[in-house]
Amino acid sequence: MSAASGATKPCADCLRGYRLEGGPKGKMEELDGVSYYLAEGPKGDKERAIVLASDLFGFGLPNTKLVADWFAENTGLSVFVPDLFEGDYIDTSVIQSQLDAVEEPMKEKTFFGRIAAKAGFIWAILRYIGPEWLRRHSPARAKYLTVKLSTSLKEKLGYQRLGLVGYCFGGSIAVWLAAADSPIDVSVCFHPSRLTLQDFEAIRKPFMLVCAEEDMSFDGMKPFALAALDKVRSKHSIPVQVWDDNAGTTHGFGCRPNMKRADVRESYEKSNARTKAWFEEHL
């Protein structure tokens, strides 16, 4: 789905609510009307920074802030996380039974178990999230907020280069802002939501894609996206890296990993390390 297409429905795994341990170390601030979480980098670098585009939960779960803290500490760069949902977050407590039903990969469920999990997901979307919430927080609106903050970081705060890492809902933003007409210079996308082939064909910035082993939201598009990225690399000489070796993972593992599973924990940790290395090389 393109940025102009309006609201998109999250897949079942978008609603998984695994929480990372610990408490956020940063602070909330505002720039040009956009509220954001700031994880300050210890290096004090005022020329380079990272923007993080969150998943569907936004600041409704602590994970987004904790991931930002990790990147700030390990890259030395400040990380800015725009509030894509403008204070209006999904209440995970009201969909806990649906979250429990989709905690494990679908391939580990019986046929009827898969049907029950998906049916429960649809019911939860209709009753507890609803079309009005999805309309208020469309991909187009989230993209606008990310672009506005990123532009202000360059024009008002003087940053010269910006890297973007996006997850799920924010992963789509990471693809869109890897296009030529963007304030972002380097992009990393974790398991994006629905996109079009044209979205991938438009990439013109160094781009890294991190795939889940099983992804209800992206698996149908993946072969076409990978072919498009090969063309971007060969035809336009754009640095492109794809990681598709994340055992045990489903859509959402990059920001909501089930750390009780050793394979998921390993995939989560190596993906963070690879993202750090990508920014060190290209940002």
Side-chain angles (χ1 to χ4, degrees):
M1 150 172 283
S2 67
S5 299
T8 184
K9 292 183 179 179
C11 73
D13 288 310
C14 287
L15 294 180
R16 299 166 87 188
Y18 295 120
R19 292 172 180 260
L20 294 172
E21 295 181 358
K25 301 175 182 177
K27 56 186 176 181
M28 293 298 299
E29 296 194 351
E30 185 175 308
L31 179 63
D32 285 347
V34 180
S35 178
Y36 64 89
Y37 176 78
L38 171 61
E40 292 189 77
K43 289 184 178 179
D45 193 323
K46 296 301 182 183
E47 295 189 354
R48 300 176 302 151
I50 296 170
V51 177
L52 191 154
S54 74
D55 66 353
L56 197 70
F57 285 115
F59 296 148
L61 288 178
N63 296 26
T64 294
K65 295 177 180 179
L66 297 175
V67 172
D69 289 345
W70 188 94
F71 279 115
E73 181 179 349
N74 287 276
T75 67
L77 304 178
S78 289
V79 182
F80 296 81
V81 189
D83 183 0
L84 300 184
F85 304 101
E86 301 174 278
D88 184 18
Y89 313 123
I90 295 171
D91 181 1
T92 60
S93 67
V94 300
I95 54 173
Q96 192 58 56
S97 61
Q98 289 75 31
L99 298 181
D100 293 341
V102 293
E103 281 184 351
E104 299 300 327
M106 287 293 169
K107 67 181 181 181
E108 297 181 2
K109 297 182 181 297
T110 65
F111 173 75
F112 292 106
R114 291 195 294 271
I115 292 177
K118 292 177 181 179
F121 153 70
I122 293 172
W123 179 82
I125 287 288
L126 293 175
R127 180 168 182 179
Y128 296 117
I129 298 178
E132 285 300 323
W133 190 93
L134 294 170
R135 276 195 288 269
R136 286 198 304 273
H137 306 297
S138 69
R141 176 64 180 174
K143 178 186 176 183
Y144 165 78
L145 293 170
T146 307
V147 169
K148 186 174 183 181
L149 177 62
S150 300
T151 301
S152 297
L153 290 176
K154 285 190 168 182
E155 294 180 352
K156 300 294 180 63
L157 299 189
Y159 286 98
Q160 300 300 306
R161 291 182 62 80
L162 296 175
L164 172 66
V165 56
Y167 300 87
C168 313
F169 185 85
S172 298
I173 296 173
V175 174
W176 296 326
L177 297 194
D181 56 340
S182 163
I184 296 300
D185 300 288
V186 183
S187 196
V188 177
C189 168
F190 278 75
H191 40 70
S193 297
R194 293 166 179 80
L195 292 163
T196 67
L197 180 60
Q198 290 72 29
D199 293 327
F200 286 95
E201 292 175 337
I203 288 173
R204 294 295 181 272
K205 306 288 179 67
F207 179 80
M208 188 173 96
L209 174 65
V210 183
C211 300
E213 181 179 37
E214 177 188 304
D215 194 331
M216 293 174 61
S217 182
F218 186 59
D219 281 345
M221 170 59 67
K222 184 161 72 171
F224 306 101
L226 298 187
L229 290 175
D230 280 341
K231 291 182 180 179
V232 168
R233 182 193 295 112
S234 61
K235 183 177 180 179
H236 300 285
S237 299
I238 303 296
V240 173
Q241 177 69 60
V242 176
W243 295 106
D244 196 14
D245 60 349
N246 297 300
T249 62
T250 59
H251 182 91
F253 85 92
C255 54
R256 299 187 311 279
N258 182 356
M259 300 294 269
K260 294 180 180 179
R261 292 185 55 143
D263 51 358
V264 175
R265 176 188 288 271
E266 180 182 353
S267 294
Y268 169 73
E269 292 175 348
K270 74 182 179 184
S271 294
N272 279 352
R274 287 166 169 173
T275 301
K276 172 180 178 288
W278 186 255
F279 285 142
E280 288 176 343
E281 182 177 0
H282 298 286
L283 183 58

